[in-house]
Amino acid sequence: MTKLHLTKCELEVMDIVWKKGRATVQEVVDSLERPLAYTTVMTTLKILDETRNVVNKKKEGRAFVYEPAVSREKVSRSMADDLTQRLFGGSVKSLLLSLVGSDSMSQSDIEELKQAIQSLEKDA
């Protein structure tokens, strides 16, 4: 799998594109939770298209419309794999134990984790 590592700003922009399915620069600017200049969003989308290859660009009228070329799941998995390698020496168990040890897991998170483990055990 190709490594897909996006910056915080790129992820913010991609989050809007993933949610909308397709968006112009202005639609992304209008949907962001924090104020970013139009030119910053335009440059970020250009990088996501030409360098990262995670969006496709089409000209419609006077504006470019951007659509995801890569799923959120594919980017998430790539970044999680990278994090696992860099911080936990490639150990998924260490990553999971670190997450489980934090206070950020809700009861529903724990239930989903239990179901995922049970599913893995059935497939093994």
Side-chain angles (χ1 to χ4, degrees), residues 44-74:
T44 301
L45 281 164
K46 183 177 180 178
I47 292 168
L48 291 168
D49 175 36
E50 296 176 2
T51 305
R52 307 279 194 213
N53 298 314
V54 293
V55 293
N56 292 320
K57 173 176 71 174
K58 293 180 188 172
K59 182 120 178 157
E60 289 187 10
R62 294 178 50 196
F64 284 109
V65 176
Y66 295 87
E67 297 177 349
V70 177
S71 70
R72 179 191 306 265
E73 292 73 23
K74 188 171 183 178

Side-chain angles (χ1 to χ4, degrees), residues 8-46:
K8 179 182 175 186
C9 183
E10 291 168 345
L11 283 170
E12 287 177 72
V13 169
M14 278 307 296
D15 190 49
I16 302 299
V17 176
W18 280 319
K19 283 180 184 170
K20 290 186 169 290
R22 57 194 314 266
T24 63
V25 174
Q26 188 61 54
E27 289 170 333
V28 173
V29 169
D30 293 343
S31 299
L32 287 167
E33 290 183 11
R34 67 179 173 123
L36 278 179
Y38 182 93
T39 53
T40 301
V41 173
M42 185 173 64
T43 301
T44 301
L45 281 164
K46 183 177 180 178

Side-chain angles (χ1 to χ4, degrees), residues 1-7 10-11 18 51-54 69-82:
M1 178 199 311
T2 305
K3 280 191 171 186
L4 296 169
H5 188 90
L6 304 182
T7 66
E10 291 168 345
L11 283 170
W18 280 319
T51 305
R52 307 279 194 213
N53 298 314
V54 293
V70 177
S71 70
R72 179 191 306 265
E73 292 73 23
K74 188 171 183 178
V75 171
S76 297
R77 181 167 298 262
S78 178
M79 291 182 72
D81 288 345
D82 185 46

Side-chain angles (χ1 to χ4, degrees), residues 81-115:
D81 288 345
D82 185 46
L83 180 71
T84 303
Q85 288 298 322
R86 288 188 297 131
L87 291 180
F88 299 98
S91 171
V92 173
K93 180 182 83 177
S94 296
L95 170 65
L96 288 175
L97 290 173
S98 174
L99 293 172
V100 170
S102 71
D103 294 333
S104 60
M105 289 193 71
S106 68
Q107 188 60 39
S108 68
D109 292 339
I110 293 168
E111 291 303 319
E112 278 188 52
L113 189 56
K114 283 180 183 176
Q115 290 175 359

